[in-house]
Amino acid sequence: MPSITSGRVLVTGANGYAATWILKELLERGFQVRGTIRSESKAAFVRNTFKSFGDKLELVVIPDATKDGAHDDAVKGVDAILHVASPTNLNPTDPDDVIPPAIQSTVSLLQSALKHRDTIKRIVLTSSVVALAPLAGPDDEPKVIDETMWNDAAVEHVREKGKDSNPRMVYPASKTLAEREAWEFWKRENEKLGGKLGWDLVTLVPPFILGPILNDITKTEQLNGPIQYFYFAVAKGIYQDDENALVRSGYQYIDVRDFAKAQVESLLKEEAGGQRLIVTGHEFVWQQFIDVARKYTDKIPRGRPEAYDPAKVVFQIKYNSEKSRRILGVQYRSIEETVKDTIEDYKIKGWL
């Protein structure tokens, strides 16, 4: 499919942490944007945040995104779709609370897109690196992960254990199954139509998404996922007695603003069509974040800077993002900028 350089883009879960930054990026680049939200009560903050763009932003209420036809009206007349919304419960007590909604909401959206394939040119689905491989433990052998890999281990675990599943395996299973279903849906429907489905598919596969908050999170109790990890690991110092967590185990992240750019670039770049793209910014250990944060506030614990030695950091998993860097060309912010801006955001919110 050709690149999408103008027109109307649908963004699902428009009031979410990453989605609000995506709205901003799209609007600033001149796109018309339609966002989906669960209730009208979620709309006021989004409208106020982007009021300077006037009628370039519209919001559509979809109370239950898992229902057949739920997205029919939302997809009418759009040129592209960025499917960002997904259940993010990382410690569920029941897999059925996470996995079926993740799959069904994706399928509902794709079925609606199928009905309007005359206008839609591209759909970009947000997946996660947990759909690539199981979470690694400190004793696992280091390995490099690329876009050809799938977290079948998490899926099999949940199928075997059901409600007795390890909660840490449920979210990875949901992301794996939802992304796989999207690719299978596209392949199946495209074959039925003799290769003339009309829209192509891209999946973006990020690690931790971190950075300042643009949406209506005002209390730390509202944090979840990676931004919750950042707050407790850096601002609250929960790893003060865990040297391995602070200075030995390495992770990867992408700044939420760079992730928003990657979303838009995946529309602009023709060669992104049909690709699964790992989008990672930088490798880190928590002590690096703490050391930078303490330049801008003295209200957080110091960690163990004397124990931090970059040469001794162990990355059980490294995600190879070479393909996305080549295709999308996103320039990633430094660790210094991400942490500084996040800490300044915390100060404004009264969290520090």
Side-chain angles (χ1 to χ4, degrees):
M1 291 296 114
S3 60
I4 297 94
T5 57
S6 61
R8 179 175 283 106
V9 179
L10 176 68
V11 180
T12 64
N15 62 303
Y17 168 60
T20 46
W21 286 105
I22 294 168
L23 295 184
K24 184 174 186 292
E25 187 74 20
L26 285 166
L27 290 166
E28 288 180 346
R29 296 210 197 187
F31 286 93
Q32 296 276 342
V33 181
R34 181 180 295 156
T36 70
I37 51 175
R38 289 185 183 178
S39 65
E40 188 59 35
S41 64
K42 303 285 187 182
F45 184 89
V46 178
R47 289 196 179 100
N48 185 61
T49 300
F50 300 108
K51 61 185 178 182
S52 63
F53 293 97
D55 61 5
K56 283 186 172 293
L57 173 66
E58 61 175 313
L59 298 175
V60 177
V61 176
I62 300 180
D64 185 354
T66 67
K67 288 185 176 181
D68 291 346
H71 298 86
D72 283 359
D73 290 336
V75 303
K76 286 180 181 177
V78 303
D79 298 276
I81 300 170
L82 302 181
H83 184 38
V84 186
S86 180
T88 54
N89 185 348
L90 301 184
N91 290 288
T93 56
D94 187 341
D96 286 344
D97 293 337
V98 177
I99 294 176
I103 298 171
Q104 291 163 8
S105 61
T106 299
V107 171
S108 171
L109 177 67
L110 296 177
Q111 288 174 335
S112 294
L114 191 61
K115 298 172 186 175
H116 297 279
R117 59 189 183 86
D118 54 327
T119 61
I120 299 169
K121 303 178 184 69
R122 180 166 293 173
I123 297 178
V124 181
L125 170 72
T126 297
S127 186
S128 167
V129 293
V130 298
L132 299 170
L135 298 171
D139 299 324
D140 290 346
E141 286 294 318
K143 53 188 172 184
V144 177
I145 304 298
D146 64 27
E147 289 92 348
T148 66
M149 300 178 181
W150 291 92
N151 193 350
D152 295 319
V155 175
E156 289 305 313
H157 172 87
V158 173
R159 282 177 178 162
E160 290 177 7
K161 300 293 185 180
K163 292 185 179 181
D164 295 325
S165 296
N166 180 339
R168 287 169 56 86
M169 300 291 273
V170 174
Y171 179 67
S174 77
K175 298 302 288 187
T176 304
L177 288 166
E179 187 189 352
R180 265 213 157 118
E181 179 59 34
W183 285 113
E184 290 170 3
F185 183 102
W186 183 88
K187 180 180 179 181
R188 181 173 63 249
E189 298 302 330
N190 193 48
E191 287 177 353
K192 284 182 185 178
L193 293 166
K196 297 180 180 180
L197 176 56
W199 47 263
D200 58 19
L201 181 65
V202 181
T203 58
L204 295 186
V205 189
F208 284 178
I209 301 176
L210 302 172
I213 296 166
L214 184 61
N215 70 341
D216 58 348
I217 294 174
T218 57
K219 299 178 181 179
T220 58
E221 292 80 6
Q222 296 172 280
L223 295 170
N224 61 33
I227 56 175
Q228 183 185 51
Y229 297 157
F230 183 99
Y231 175 76
F232 282 102
V234 178
K236 303 304 288 185
I238 63 168
Y239 294 132
Q240 293 304 293
D241 298 322
D242 188 344
E243 189 169 291
N244 180 68
L246 279 175
V247 302
R248 296 284 181 267
S249 294
Y251 307 92
Q252 289 174 264
Y253 86 98
I254 183 171
D255 187 294
V256 66
R257 296 161 293 185
D258 297 334
F259 181 61
K261 286 186 177 179
Q263 292 271 347
V264 179
E265 291 299 328
S266 68
L267 300 179
L268 298 175
K269 299 297 195 314
E270 181 177 351
E271 57 269 38
Q275 299 294 331
R276 192 182 192 210
L277 300 170
I278 297 173
V279 284
T280 63
H282 299 286
E283 299 172 340
F284 75 95
V285 294
W286 290 116
Q287 189 64 49
Q288 283 178 280
F289 286 171
I290 291 169
D291 290 346
V292 173
R294 284 176 60 81
K295 296 179 184 179
Y296 303 100
T297 179
D298 58 3
K299 295 183 179 180
I300 63 174
R302 66 188 292 274
R304 299 190 181 188
E306 69 283 348
Y308 172 50
D309 180 352
K312 294 181 179 179
V313 175
V314 176
F315 291 89
Q316 271 77 29
I317 290 181
K318 285 194 175 187
Y319 301 102
N320 182 355
S321 61
E322 179 182 346
K323 184 165 69 168
S324 73
R325 290 171 186 263
R326 172 174 50 82
I327 292 175
L328 302 181
V330 175
Q331 298 297 311
Y332 294 102
R333 287 169 170 78
S334 66
I335 289 177
E336 181 89 18
E337 185 175 357
T338 297
V339 176
K340 175 182 179 294
D341 291 350
T342 303
I343 294 301
E344 294 301 326
D345 185 40
Y346 286 1
K347 290 179 182 178
I348 292 169
K349 288 178 168 59
W351 297 353
L352 286 174

